[in-house]
Amino acid sequence: MTPHRTTVRIGNSRDLRTPRALLEVAGLTGDVQLRCEPGRLTASPVGRPESRPRSGWSDAARRARAAGDDVELDPPFPNDFDNEAWVW
């Protein structure tokens, strides 16, 4: 579905009315984040995992732990810091 739309003047702003069916197909039924570049306006849903940095990391860590794939890659090595008493 690629309907043609014209912007509508509302005060000092312009509005772009979007058909409900188009929004539902795109999954844009709630709040959206708008991004723009010359000749293009992109709307993305707010709160979706792809819009949150590090989303899904905790699940990935749990899966790695369950698979035994969370081992240290480098063996520990002693140094002077380990041998001295810490002063807080």
Side-chain angles (χ1 to χ4, degrees):
M1 172 190 279
T2 55
H4 173 81
R5 290 288 182 237
T6 302
T7 59
V8 179
R9 185 181 259 324
I10 299 178
N12 290 332
S13 298
R14 305 288 276 171
D15 184 40
L16 182 63
R17 296 181 183 168
T18 309
R20 176 184 284 177
L22 190 65
L23 293 171
E24 289 174 352
V25 168
L28 301 175
T29 57
D31 292 342
V32 297
Q33 179 178 5
L34 297 176
R35 291 187 186 91
C36 65
E37 59 187 66
R40 183 178 306 256
L41 179 65
T42 305
S44 302
V46 174
R48 286 260 179 97
E50 58 270 13
S51 67
R52 294 189 322 248
R54 294 175 294 285
S55 174
W57 282 20
S58 60
D59 291 332
R62 277 193 279 285
R63 287 192 303 273
R65 175 70 178 143
D69 195 24
D70 64 340
V71 297
E72 292 185 36
L73 298 177
D74 296 321
F77 57 92
N79 57 46
D80 291 339
F81 183 76
D82 293 328
N83 297 328
E84 297 174 6
W86 291 12
V87 178
W88 295 91

